[in-house]
Amino acid sequence: QVQLVESGGGLVQPGGSLRLSCAASGSSSSIMIMGWYRQAPGKERELVATISSSAYTNYADSVKGRFTITRDKVKNTVYLQMNSLKPEDTAVYLCNVRTYYASTYWGQGTQVTVSS
């Protein structure tokens, strides 16, 4: 089992920045990929960014050049630095991990609202 605790969401003006954190505990040594997804009201959940245990990253086209995902393997924490935020980035952001044993875990979600 892996437990995930997210933090860092909030309200920010367009063009602003936020940094999300997701700390993993439990069987964290089994984690292969960590990432972030988001879900806006009335829309399907979508991938934002992922990072593998070898630091390979993958981004949604909509956030490339604005968001950066990093991972601290010692702290078992994944971060999402979000810059140049747009109103369309408003969503609940959910941390996700996939283990080497094909299990998937989700965080509880943190709200990000971009509005003036």
Side-chain angles (χ1 to χ4, degrees), residues 23-34:
S25 60
S27 302
S28 54
S29 62
S30 67
I31 294 174
M32 180 173 61
I33 296 174
M34 302 185 80

Side-chain angles (χ1 to χ4, degrees), residues 61-80:
D61 288 342
S62 59
V63 306
K64 283 181 181 177
R66 300 189 297 122
F67 292 10
T68 302
I69 188 169
T70 56
R71 178 174 175 177
D72 186 326
K73 297 178 79 172
V74 173
K75 295 182 178 179
N76 293 313
T77 300
V78 62
Y79 305 95
L80 185 69

Side-chain angles (χ1 to χ4, degrees), residues 25-115:
S25 60
S27 302
S28 54
S29 62
S30 67
I31 294 174
M32 180 173 61
I33 296 174
M34 302 185 80
W36 292 92
Y37 288 70
R38 67 186 181 187
Q39 188 163 19
K43 294 187 177 181
E44 293 187 354
R45 188 172 296 182
E46 62 176 0
L47 179 145
V48 177
T50 60
I51 184 167
S52 72
S53 57
S54 57
Y56 176 82
T57 59
N58 181 47
Y59 294 93
D61 288 342
S62 59
V63 306
K64 283 181 181 177
R66 300 189 297 122
F67 292 10
T68 302
I69 188 169
T70 56
R71 178 174 175 177
D72 186 326
K73 297 178 79 172
V74 173
K75 295 182 178 179
N76 293 313
T77 300
V78 62
Y79 305 95
L80 185 69
Q81 178 65 43
M82 305 184 294
N83 298 329
S84 302
L85 283 160
K86 304 175 182 179
E88 51 263 44
D89 294 318
T90 296
V92 175
Y93 284 69
L94 300 112
C95 181
N96 169 272
V97 303
R98 281 174 274 170
T99 73
Y100 290 102
Y101 307 107
S103 296
T104 299
Y105 298 90
W106 293 93
Q108 80 282 1
T110 185
Q111 178 70 45
V112 171
T113 302
V114 185
S115 175

